[in-house]
Amino acid sequence: MKNLKGILILTICFLSLFIGVAQNELVRISVSNNDFVKENGETLVFRGLNTSDPDKLENQGLWNKAYFQEIKNWGANIVRFPVHPTAWVKRGKENYLALLDHGIKWAGELGLYVIIDWHSIGNLQTEMYQSDMYDTTLKQTYDFWRTIAVRYGKNTTVAFYELFNEPTTYNNTLGTASWNEWKKINEQMITIIRANGGEGIPLVAGFNWAYELTPVLNNPINAKGIGYVSHPYPQKREKPWEDQWTKDWGFVKEKYPLMLTEIGFCGADDVGAHIPVISDESYGDAITTYADEKDISYVVWVFDAKWAPRLFEDWKTYKPSRQGKYFKAKLKSYKYN
């Protein structure tokens, strides 16, 4: 009888543990035609927030579950981690992966999907970059994605791999790069990810700081199960924006999934104001309406009190900034299944 009771107790404990894990496990996201979908085929549109670099937040003592809880409180269903190559090197691969382990765990527990973003700006082909903080190499980039695929390939919380943040030649000051050349590099990254067990969705950005996707019309990436990225900040085009957005990147959604992994705005006198983010709430109305009408996912930059355009003003209260007030109200207005 004592043995039976012991077995029963162990069984109950095991089942409780299993149920707890199952409740925290997110549904696998995949691609179906031009949508991101759940396992039951239901379309899921993502609206979320960018963190600042996990290394930076950890150094400030701010990389914790409370930070993720606040992101959830703002109405997000996805969070993007910008991993700067220089931070990856300085902290060291294993130590940085430990940061990602924690962040992914906290996100999953709160029902937030994760984008891991290799956050460099420049020309990966020539290995010339906008500033030293974005320095990387082709080999390091390929190895990063091999590492991520091996470690998180079957983790359903890590739904997306953003292969390279913002490709640009900066008017050829960083050298030249053709779409065909960039296409081949992305196809290599996708091949490496898949061969190493990565089951998430690769996201591919176009040139002009990830704004323009016009080459996709006639020469798309030769890979299935992927999505495309644009960063349509307000000063990339003059008002009215909508027709230009459709021509530059919006047309992609007619055939493929599309995610705006960085949007946002701030006033000209706001902290950190810089081109191309200076605008007002009219941009917020335009970009969210455009995205909502076409079921385009988006992620707002950036959930930090200093990096611009910032979403809040101080770490103690998370008091929303100007754009924070706008996007917090907007995100909280959505209803998710």
Side-chain angles (χ1 to χ4, degrees):
M1 183 63 72
K2 288 183 178 180
N3 287 339
L4 287 174
K5 287 182 178 179
I7 292 171
L8 181 61
I9 290 170
L10 286 173
T11 301
I12 292 171
C13 290
F14 174 79
L15 288 173
S16 298
L17 178 62
F18 177 79
I19 291 168
V21 169
Q23 287 174 339
N24 290 331
E25 188 173 296
L26 303 186
V27 174
R28 169 69 67 190
I29 301 300
S30 61
V31 168
S32 177
N33 298 316
N34 65 339
D35 291 318
F36 301 122
V37 299
K38 300 179 183 178
E39 291 173 345
N40 63 4
E42 180 184 352
T43 297
L44 182 56
V45 180
F46 293 95
R47 290 105 174 185
L49 304 175
N50 280 271
T51 71
S52 37
D53 192 301
D55 173 74
K56 177 252 191 194
L57 292 170
E58 173 67 16
N59 288 336
Q60 293 178 288
L62 299 167
W63 186 245
N64 51 50
K65 191 172 181 179
Y67 177 72
F68 285 81
Q69 182 63 62
E70 191 65 25
I71 289 172
K72 181 70 173 181
N73 293 347
W74 280 44
N77 66 352
I78 195 165
V79 61
R80 177 177 182 250
F81 299 165
V83 179
H84 289 72
T86 47
W88 175 258
V89 171
K90 184 176 180 181
R91 183 169 285 269
K93 181 186 296 188
E94 290 304 319
N95 289 332
Y96 205 112
L97 287 169
L99 292 185
L100 294 180
D101 288 348
H102 290 305
I104 292 163
K105 177 178 180 291
W106 295 324
E109 289 172 350
L110 292 166
L112 296 166
Y113 285 93
V114 168
I115 304 167
I116 295 179
D117 154 48
W118 188 234
H119 200 81
S120 180
I121 302 177
N123 188 342
L124 184 57
Q125 178 168 286
T126 61
E127 298 180 356
M128 297 284 287
Y129 301 98
Q130 186 166 299
S131 70
D132 290 346
M133 70 186 297
Y134 303 118
D135 280 357
T136 185
T137 65
L138 270 172
K139 181 180 179 181
Q140 183 189 53
T141 299
Y142 292 150
D143 182 68
F144 174 80
W145 287 116
R146 175 175 61 177
T147 300
I148 295 300
V150 169
R151 194 170 187 102
Y152 306 117
K154 295 188 182 301
N155 189 315
T156 55
T157 300
V158 184
F160 299 98
Y161 316 127
E162 191 166 350
L163 302 180
F164 190 89
N165 171 50
E166 290 188 348
T168 183
T169 63
Y170 205 172
N171 297 322
N172 293 336
T173 60
L174 305 177
T176 61
S178 70
W179 174 256
N180 279 335
E181 291 164 335
W182 180 233
K183 178 174 179 285
K184 289 177 182 177
I185 290 173
N186 279 275
E187 288 167 357
Q188 287 280 26
M189 286 189 272
I190 294 165
T191 297
I192 290 167
I193 286 169
R194 295 294 186 231
N196 285 280
E199 297 180 7
I201 300 169
L203 298 176
V204 177
F207 293 137
N208 189 2
W209 288 271
Y211 173 75
E212 187 179 336
L213 289 170
T214 52
V216 175
L217 181 63
N218 297 314
N219 195 11
I221 299 295
N222 185 23
K224 295 181 179 179
I226 71 166
Y228 289 92
V229 160
S230 181
H231 293 177
Y233 284 112
Q235 291 176 288
K236 301 301 288 189
R237 289 289 184 264
E238 297 290 332
K239 289 183 179 181
W241 292 293
E242 289 81 358
D243 288 346
Q244 297 174 92
W245 286 340
T246 297
K247 180 181 177 182
D248 293 339
W249 50 266
F251 72 91
V252 170
K253 185 59 172 67
E254 295 175 9
K255 285 189 174 182
Y256 310 102
L258 179 62
M259 186 179 296
L260 314 179
T261 53
E262 288 188 25
I263 63 172
F265 71 90
C266 65
D269 297 325
D270 291 343
V271 172
H274 63 280
I275 295 172
V277 304
I278 298 170
S279 189
D280 56 27
E281 289 76 5
S282 66
Y283 163 79
D285 287 340
I287 194 66
T288 57
T289 298
Y290 187 92
D292 290 347
E293 288 177 349
K294 299 177 183 294
D295 284 343
I296 295 173
S297 299
Y298 65 81
V299 191
V300 187
W301 184 271
V302 54
F303 206 61
D304 194 276
K306 185 174 182 181
W307 285 15
R310 62 183 185 172
L311 280 161
F312 58 89
E313 296 180 359
D314 71 84
W315 286 96
K316 290 184 178 180
T317 65
Y318 290 103
K319 178 184 177 182
S321 63
R322 179 178 180 178
Q323 76 148 348
K325 293 175 184 176
Y326 180 89
F327 284 112
K328 183 176 184 180
K330 187 65 180 178
L331 264 60
K332 288 177 73 67
S333 73
Y334 294 113
K335 305 298 180 185
Y336 303 109
N337 295 328

